[in-house]
Amino acid sequence: GARARRKLLRAAWPAPRHGMQPVDKDMLSNRRMAGERSGLGDSEASDMTTSSASGRHDFEDPAKKEGRGSGGGHWRDLRGDYSNIAILLLLYTLQGVPMGLGASIPLLLQERGASFAAQSVFSLVSWPFSLKLLWAPIVDACFSERFGRRKSWLIPIQLLCAAVMLCFADTFEGYLGDGSSPPQVLPLSIGFFCLYLLMATQDIAVDGWALTMLAKRNVAWASTCNTTGQTAGYASAFIGFMALNSSDFCNAWLREPFGHAPSQSGAVSLGGFTKFWG
């Protein structure tokens, strides 16, 4: 190709190593003629001879010459993909909400007097994210052409996730137990296992969709959306719920500053918070 021909020409006429030297017009003419015989265009041969005569070779990345960084590093590369980035952030944020709620359950179980064995049972709910490789080929291969490859999975998953959260919202608080009854860890684990299974499947679909919905130069932004969105959803569910469920926090920051009487309970319960996001 052109690169190999340039190497042959540069090997035949090496450039001076130090400083600038006078340019011989006959030498430049001979080099242009050699470039034409090698198949190089006039502009390519001229550029090569000029750079050789000036004592330098230009190995700059063509993408950088055009003002574009590799991997979508500049904000101007996102033109045309702003809406796609917003969709990815939204989907990954919704994906992180059940994960944040699941992370708060062990703390509530420990507060309600659950044993370490019971807490270890609940820790199995996160397994779908470790095993999603097993059904990832099914998500990629099975779809409806009417809805599209990714929407065939995303829309049902979102509806099922909302149904699970709404159905279990009224029973989650009872499964946690109170002072008179111990926590029921098994049904609580089943409910959150279903949520994690749905979110792991959504993660497969969204990751695959990001490769086709973003421009090729912006594909690297998919991992940024994944990390940012999941962290935002996780933090809003975990930190937000733990703060609003704490009576001390609500009394100090929400009730007393506004003249409300202190209470022994938080502002929201697990069931109410789950129903809100469902």
Side-chain angles (χ1 to χ4, degrees):
R3 184 177 298 178
R5 290 193 292 271
R6 289 193 187 95
K7 288 183 178 180
L8 291 176
L9 291 174
R10 286 169 180 166
W13 297 290
R17 296 184 177 179
H18 302 287
M20 300 284 292
Q21 295 185 4
V23 179
D24 189 353
K25 295 183 179 180
D26 294 335
M27 178 187 67
L28 295 181
S29 177
N30 292 334
R31 291 187 180 181
R32 290 193 182 96
M33 294 175 62
E36 293 175 358
R37 288 196 298 269
S38 300
L40 293 177
D42 293 340
S43 60
E44 291 177 330
S46 177
D47 292 342
M48 185 190 65
T49 54
T50 303
S51 62
S52 300
S54 61
R56 64 178 178 84
H57 291 285
D58 190 2
F59 296 103
E60 187 179 1
D61 187 0
K64 293 182 180 179
K65 290 182 178 181
E66 297 176 5
R68 297 184 288 104
S70 59
H74 298 292
W75 288 103
R76 62 175 175 268
D77 289 338
L78 294 178
R79 286 178 296 183
D81 274 337
Y82 290 119
S83 59
N84 297 330
I85 293 291
I87 293 174
L88 288 177
L89 285 173
L90 176 62
L91 291 173
Y92 283 125
T93 300
L94 295 176
Q95 185 175 304
V97 170
M99 300 167 62
L101 281 175
S104 65
I105 298 300
L107 300 178
L108 299 178
L109 291 175
Q110 186 175 3
E111 182 182 350
R112 306 293 174 90
S115 62
F116 290 109
Q119 296 181 43
S120 65
V121 172
F122 186 81
S123 65
L124 299 177
V125 301
S126 61
W127 273 28
F129 271 89
S130 301
L131 302 176
K132 64 181 182 179
L133 184 64
L134 298 178
W135 65 91
I138 300 176
V139 177
D140 284 335
C142 300
F143 60 93
S144 172
E145 295 183 357
R146 180 180 179 182
F147 291 101
R149 169 171 290 183
R150 309 304 173 185
K151 294 179 182 179
S152 298
W153 288 92
L154 291 176
I155 295 176
I157 285 173
Q158 287 295 317
L159 295 176
L160 287 174
C161 181
V164 171
M165 296 181 76
L166 292 175
C167 291
F168 279 91
D170 295 331
T171 57
F172 275 158
E173 197 69 30
Y175 291 153
L176 288 174
D178 50 25
S180 60
S181 61
Q184 302 179 40
V185 180
L186 184 58
L188 193 63
S189 301
I190 293 175
F192 273 93
F193 185 86
C194 294
L195 288 176
Y196 269 79
L197 180 62
L198 292 172
M199 292 301 99
T201 307
Q202 175 177 315
D203 188 60
I204 298 170
V206 177
D207 287 346
W209 195 19
L211 298 177
T212 56
M213 72 187 303
L214 294 176
K216 188 175 181 180
R217 66 180 184 276
N218 295 327
V219 170
W221 283 88
S223 60
T224 303
C225 295
N226 189 328
T227 304
T228 305
Q230 284 195 12
T231 302
Y234 184 97
S236 62
F238 177 70
I239 300 176
F241 169 70
M242 294 302 296
L244 296 176
N245 186 253
S246 172
S247 59
D248 296 333
F249 177 86
C250 293
N251 291 335
W253 296 96
L254 300 179
R255 294 190 177 106
E256 293 181 0
F258 296 98
H260 298 286
S263 176
Q264 297 297 324
S265 61
V268 297
S269 62
L270 178 62
F273 197 82
T274 305
K275 187 178 294 185
F276 170 79
W277 283 104

